[in-house]
Amino acid sequence: MNETDGLRYRRLNRPQVITDESQEPEHKSTSTYSGRVFRLTLLTLAAVLLVPLLVAILLLESPIQPQRLSFSEPPLMSGCLEPNFKLRQAERLFEGQLIGPESIANIGDVLYTGTADGKIVKIEGDTIHVVATLGQPPCVLLTDFTGSRDDEPTCGRPLGIRVGPNGTLFVADAYLGLFEVNPVTGAVDTLVSTRNPVAGRRLSFVNDLDVTRDGRKIFFTDSSSKWPRRDYSYLIMEGTDDGRLLEYDTVTREVSVLLDGLRFPNGVQLSPNEDFVLVAETTMARIRRCHVSGLQKGGMETFAENLPGFPDNIRRSSSGGYWVSMSAVRPNPGFSMLDFLADKPWVKKMIFKILSQEVLMKFVPKYSLVVELSENAACKRSFHDPHGVVATYISEAHEHDGHLYLGSFRSPFLCRLDLSQV
């Protein structure tokens, strides 16, 4: 036997080195499976959420047909418009007892306002008395406006209120028309009914008014022939230009159209000489001037444009100027949703396909702003509450006895600001 035949061959067993790489295939397999499950779950959730949204966008009709608008860059919040906290020095009055006191008038020290349930009330000292009810009761209304949307057309919604030369109240009701109310007896006389069209068009949104010193003429706004007050957000977002400034003659009892083609005409204010009327054109963030007497009678021009907010009511100030309350602001620096969407009608249509008006209101910043303009429309001073901590949704600033009374189209209270303290 050869020597080599007697040799036994043994395989050398190399020691096995265990490293992280040895587990890699199993780990990759597990990771890949988990990733697939995660991605599948994510895609399923996205489909569940997005498919109904896409169906809504494609198939549902938008309630509005927006017009393309154009705005200049808002004025800088500096100088006269420098943000401050002066409105936070105001005090809330009758909280929870007055719902949506839009406008304010006074006879002596007695205040009058209208509320969201169709009532005209008198505020004397610490007491509230109901003077008259314009619509058809019962009208149940809570402080969160529950039920108000459905009840408004029948209950009525008093907005602008003024005192006439004989001590009676003139009231603009959004749904019912113009009224004269006796503050002593509570007697109500209908001057203009919304049931009667004016120049072939219905009055859908009677808003604010002013009365001449002799009581002969009443100037008032109809914000839209299409949209009622409860759909005011549709009116703003659509940019509808069917609003009008009208004149009512208390002797002939005739109504005439002074201005047409306005986008949400709102607050009304006669000049001290009663030769022109100022009209807030809310959607366009400007104030128009319409000449109603003198050589320029019938003429119209812009009084103030590119305002820092969207103006609501206008009232005289003791300095000879005008208080203008802003229903919403156009912050600069900052972001204004209405400015951003102005030239994007398709986005506006899509928004109202998927969001209700109530939901949209929650995206409107609670920034409160009141500006005093001079007789030449120059900014004199401004009062702010950047987050609406005290004063919210201001619709009017009414000056009386050294104080500024702040009305609101939505808040359940009045505010009173001592002007000597600001």
Side-chain angles (χ1 to χ4, degrees), residues 116-135:
D117 54 355
K119 293 183 175 63
I120 305 300
V121 300
K122 174 175 69 174
I123 302 172
E124 194 167 13
D126 296 329
T127 308
I128 298 175
H129 303 279
V130 176
V131 174
T133 300
L134 300 181

PDB file of all heavy atoms in Angstrom, residues 116-135:
ATOM      1  N   ALA A 116     -80.556  90.359  16.317  1.00  0.00           N
ATOM      2  CA  ALA A 116     -80.645  89.322  15.296  1.00  0.00           C
ATOM      3  C   ALA A 116     -81.973  88.577  15.292  1.00  0.00           C
ATOM      4  O   ALA A 116     -82.243  87.808  14.365  1.00  0.00           O
ATOM      5  CB  ALA A 116     -79.496  88.329  15.465  1.00  0.00           C
ATOM      6  N   ASP A 117     -82.810  88.798  16.300  1.00  0.00           N
ATOM      7  CA  ASP A 117     -84.122  88.144  16.319  1.00  0.00           C
ATOM      8  C   ASP A 117     -85.238  89.104  15.919  1.00  0.00           C
ATOM      9  O   ASP A 117     -86.413  88.892  16.238  1.00  0.00           O
ATOM     10  CB  ASP A 117     -84.414  87.536  17.689  1.00  0.00           C
ATOM     11  CG  ASP A 117     -84.269  88.535  18.822  1.00  0.00           C
ATOM     12  OD1 ASP A 117     -83.847  89.685  18.558  1.00  0.00           O
ATOM     13  OD2 ASP A 117     -84.578  88.184  19.976  1.00  0.00           O
ATOM     14  N   GLY A 118     -84.876  90.180  15.209  1.00  0.00           N
ATOM     15  CA  GLY A 118     -85.881  91.068  14.640  1.00  0.00           C
ATOM     16  C   GLY A 118     -86.440  92.122  15.562  1.00  0.00           C
ATOM     17  O   GLY A 118     -87.458  92.744  15.245  1.00  0.00           O
ATOM     18  N   LYS A 119     -85.788  92.385  16.671  1.00  0.00           N
ATOM     19  CA  LYS A 119     -86.312  93.351  17.639  1.00  0.00           C
ATOM     20  C   LYS A 119     -85.556  94.682  17.582  1.00  0.00           C
ATOM     21  O   LYS A 119     -84.362  94.722  17.285  1.00  0.00           O
ATOM     22  CB  LYS A 119     -86.223  92.789  19.062  1.00  0.00           C
ATOM     23  CG  LYS A 119     -87.123  91.597  19.342  1.00  0.00           C
ATOM     24  CD  LYS A 119     -87.011  91.166  20.792  1.00  0.00           C
ATOM     25  CE  LYS A 119     -87.999  90.052  21.135  1.00  0.00           C
ATOM     26  NZ  LYS A 119     -87.756  88.821  20.370  1.00  0.00           N
ATOM     27  N   ILE A 120     -86.261  95.761  17.897  1.00  0.00           N
ATOM     28  CA  ILE A 120     -85.666  97.062  18.137  1.00  0.00           C
ATOM     29  C   ILE A 120     -85.720  97.275  19.645  1.00  0.00           C
ATOM     30  O   ILE A 120     -86.801  97.194  20.249  1.00  0.00           O
ATOM     31  CB  ILE A 120     -86.436  98.190  17.423  1.00  0.00           C
ATOM     32  CG1 ILE A 120     -86.557  97.898  15.930  1.00  0.00           C
ATOM     33  CG2 ILE A 120     -85.748  99.531  17.662  1.00  0.00           C
ATOM     34  CD1 ILE A 120     -85.238  97.766  15.214  1.00  0.00           C
ATOM     35  N   VAL A 121     -84.560  97.507  20.245  1.00  0.00           N
ATOM     36  CA  VAL A 121     -84.506  97.611  21.708  1.00  0.00           C
ATOM     37  C   VAL A 121     -83.960  98.965  22.140  1.00  0.00           C
ATOM     38  O   VAL A 121     -83.214  99.622  21.412  1.00  0.00           O
ATOM     39  CB  VAL A 121     -83.660  96.476  22.325  1.00  0.00           C
ATOM     40  CG1 VAL A 121     -84.247  95.118  21.982  1.00  0.00           C
ATOM     41  CG2 VAL A 121     -82.214  96.565  21.878  1.00  0.00           C
ATOM     42  N   LYS A 122     -84.370  99.359  23.344  1.00  0.00           N
ATOM     43  CA  LYS A 122     -83.919 100.604  23.963  1.00  0.00           C
ATOM     44  C   LYS A 122     -83.043 100.262  25.158  1.00  0.00           C
ATOM     45  O   LYS A 122     -83.394  99.403  25.974  1.00  0.00           O
ATOM     46  CB  LYS A 122     -85.130 101.424  24.413  1.00  0.00           C
ATOM     47  CG  LYS A 122     -84.796 102.671  25.195  1.00  0.00           C
ATOM     48  CD  LYS A 122     -86.053 103.495  25.497  1.00  0.00           C
ATOM     49  CE  LYS A 122     -86.955 102.811  26.486  1.00  0.00           C
ATOM     50  NZ  LYS A 122     -88.107 103.681  26.872  1.00  0.00           N
ATOM     51  N   ILE A 123     -81.889 100.920  25.245  1.00  0.00           N
ATOM     52  CA  ILE A 123     -80.969 100.693  26.360  1.00  0.00           C
ATOM     53  C   ILE A 123     -80.933 101.964  27.206  1.00  0.00           C
ATOM     54  O   ILE A 123     -80.439 103.003  26.767  1.00  0.00           O
ATOM     55  CB  ILE A 123     -79.557 100.352  25.860  1.00  0.00           C
ATOM     56  CG1 ILE A 123     -79.605  99.116  24.952  1.00  0.00           C
ATOM     57  CG2 ILE A 123     -78.605 100.140  27.026  1.00  0.00           C
ATOM     58  CD1 ILE A 123     -78.296  98.813  24.256  1.00  0.00           C
ATOM     59  N   GLU A 124     -81.484 101.863  28.373  1.00  0.00           N
ATOM     60  CA  GLU A 124     -81.554 103.009  29.278  1.00  0.00           C
ATOM     61  C   GLU A 124     -80.906 102.628  30.602  1.00  0.00           C
ATOM     62  O   GLU A 124     -81.435 101.812  31.350  1.00  0.00           O
ATOM     63  CB  GLU A 124     -83.012 103.416  29.486  1.00  0.00           C
ATOM     64  CG  GLU A 124     -83.191 104.775  30.122  1.00  0.00           C
ATOM     65  CD  GLU A 124     -84.628 105.254  30.021  1.00  0.00           C
ATOM     66  OE1 GLU A 124     -85.518 104.456  29.699  1.00  0.00           O
ATOM     67  OE2 GLU A 124     -84.859 106.453  30.277  1.00  0.00           O
ATOM     68  N   GLY A 125     -79.714 103.195  30.842  1.00  0.00           N
ATOM     69  CA  GLY A 125     -78.966 102.804  32.032  1.00  0.00           C
ATOM     70  C   GLY A 125     -78.535 101.361  31.925  1.00  0.00           C
ATOM     71  O   GLY A 125     -77.874 100.966  30.961  1.00  0.00           O
ATOM     72  N   ASP A 126     -78.957 100.558  32.899  1.00  0.00           N
ATOM     73  CA  ASP A 126     -78.601  99.138  32.908  1.00  0.00           C
ATOM     74  C   ASP A 126     -79.744  98.246  32.437  1.00  0.00           C
ATOM     75  O   ASP A 126     -79.712  97.030  32.655  1.00  0.00           O
ATOM     76  CB  ASP A 126     -78.177  98.718  34.325  1.00  0.00           C
ATOM     77  CG  ASP A 126     -76.922  99.438  34.788  1.00  0.00           C
ATOM     78  OD1 ASP A 126     -76.077  99.756  33.923  1.00  0.00           O
ATOM     79  OD2 ASP A 126     -76.788  99.694  36.003  1.00  0.00           O
ATOM     80  N   THR A 127     -80.745  98.844  31.809  1.00  0.00           N
ATOM     81  CA  THR A 127     -81.940  98.097  31.455  1.00  0.00           C
ATOM     82  C   THR A 127     -82.161  98.080  29.946  1.00  0.00           C
ATOM     83  O   THR A 127     -81.937  99.076  29.264  1.00  0.00           O
ATOM     84  CB  THR A 127     -83.183  98.707  32.134  1.00  0.00           C
ATOM     85  OG1 THR A 127     -82.937  98.835  33.533  1.00  0.00           O
ATOM     86  CG2 THR A 127     -84.399  97.821  31.926  1.00  0.00           C
ATOM     87  N   ILE A 128     -82.610  96.931  29.462  1.00  0.00           N
ATOM     88  CA  ILE A 128     -82.951  96.778  28.052  1.00  0.00           C
ATOM     89  C   ILE A 128     -84.470  96.603  27.939  1.00  0.00           C
ATOM     90  O   ILE A 128     -85.061  95.758  28.617  1.00  0.00           O
ATOM     91  CB  ILE A 128     -82.254  95.549  27.436  1.00  0.00           C
ATOM     92  CG1 ILE A 128     -80.732  95.704  27.501  1.00  0.00           C
ATOM     93  CG2 ILE A 128     -82.693  95.356  25.984  1.00  0.00           C
ATOM     94  CD1 ILE A 128     -79.983  94.472  27.013  1.00  0.00           C
ATOM     95  N   HIS A 129     -85.098  97.424  27.090  1.00  0.00           N
ATOM     96  CA  HIS A 129     -86.531  97.321  26.841  1.00  0.00           C
ATOM     97  C   HIS A 129     -86.759  97.039  25.358  1.00  0.00           C
ATOM     98  O   HIS A 129     -86.115  97.642  24.499  1.00  0.00           O
ATOM     99  CB  HIS A 129     -87.260  98.616  27.214  1.00  0.00           C
ATOM    100  CG  HIS A 129     -87.061  99.050  28.623  1.00  0.00           C
ATOM    101  ND1 HIS A 129     -87.772  98.523  29.682  1.00  0.00           N
ATOM    102  CD2 HIS A 129     -86.214  99.978  29.158  1.00  0.00           C
ATOM    103  CE1 HIS A 129     -87.379  99.106  30.811  1.00  0.00           C
ATOM    104  NE2 HIS A 129     -86.435  99.988  30.514  1.00  0.00           N
ATOM    105  N   VAL A 130     -87.704  96.170  25.048  1.00  0.00           N
ATOM    106  CA  VAL A 130     -88.069  95.928  23.659  1.00  0.00           C
ATOM    107  C   VAL A 130     -89.045  97.011  23.227  1.00  0.00           C
ATOM    108  O   VAL A 130     -90.109  97.192  23.830  1.00  0.00           O
ATOM    109  CB  VAL A 130     -88.693  94.536  23.476  1.00  0.00           C
ATOM    110  CG1 VAL A 130     -89.158  94.354  22.024  1.00  0.00           C
ATOM    111  CG2 VAL A 130     -87.694  93.450  23.838  1.00  0.00           C
ATOM    112  N   VAL A 131     -88.696  97.735  22.155  1.00  0.00           N
ATOM    113  CA  VAL A 131     -89.548  98.799  21.633  1.00  0.00           C
ATOM    114  C   VAL A 131     -90.521  98.248  20.607  1.00  0.00           C
ATOM    115  O   VAL A 131     -91.720  98.558  20.624  1.00  0.00           O
ATOM    116  CB  VAL A 131     -88.691  99.921  21.000  1.00  0.00           C
ATOM    117  CG1 VAL A 131     -89.576 100.965  20.325  1.00  0.00           C
ATOM    118  CG2 VAL A 131     -87.791 100.564  22.037  1.00  0.00           C
ATOM    119  N   ALA A 132     -90.016  97.435  19.696  1.00  0.00           N
ATOM    120  CA  ALA A 132     -90.868  96.906  18.626  1.00  0.00           C
ATOM    121  C   ALA A 132     -90.265  95.632  18.066  1.00  0.00           C
ATOM    122  O   ALA A 132     -89.060  95.379  18.194  1.00  0.00           O
ATOM    123  CB  ALA A 132     -91.037  97.942  17.520  1.00  0.00           C
ATOM    124  N   THR A 133     -91.112  94.826  17.430  1.00  0.00           N
ATOM    125  CA  THR A 133     -90.685  93.630  16.710  1.00  0.00           C
ATOM    126  C   THR A 133     -91.122  93.789  15.264  1.00  0.00           C
ATOM    127  O   THR A 133     -92.309  94.010  14.994  1.00  0.00           O
ATOM    128  CB  THR A 133     -91.310  92.363  17.314  1.00  0.00           C
ATOM    129  OG1 THR A 133     -90.903  92.245  18.687  1.00  0.00           O
ATOM    130  CG2 THR A 133     -90.852  91.126  16.553  1.00  0.00           C
ATOM    131  N   LEU A 134     -90.168  93.700  14.337  1.00  0.00           N
ATOM    132  CA  LEU A 134     -90.466  93.976  12.938  1.00  0.00           C
ATOM    133  C   LEU A 134     -91.047  92.775  12.199  1.00  0.00           C
ATOM    134  O   LEU A 134     -91.898  92.925  11.333  1.00  0.00           O
ATOM    135  CB  LEU A 134     -89.204  94.459  12.219  1.00  0.00           C
ATOM    136  CG  LEU A 134     -88.568  95.741  12.780  1.00  0.00           C
ATOM    137  CD1 LEU A 134     -87.346  96.118  11.957  1.00  0.00           C
ATOM    138  CD2 LEU A 134     -89.571  96.884  12.815  1.00  0.00           C
ATOM    139  N   GLY A 135     -90.571  91.585  12.526  1.00  0.00           N
ATOM    140  CA  GLY A 135     -91.017  90.390  11.813  1.00  0.00           C
ATOM    141  C   GLY A 135     -92.097  89.638  12.537  1.00  0.00           C
ATOM    142  O   GLY A 135     -92.844  90.193  13.364  1.00  0.00           O
TER     143      GLY A 135
END
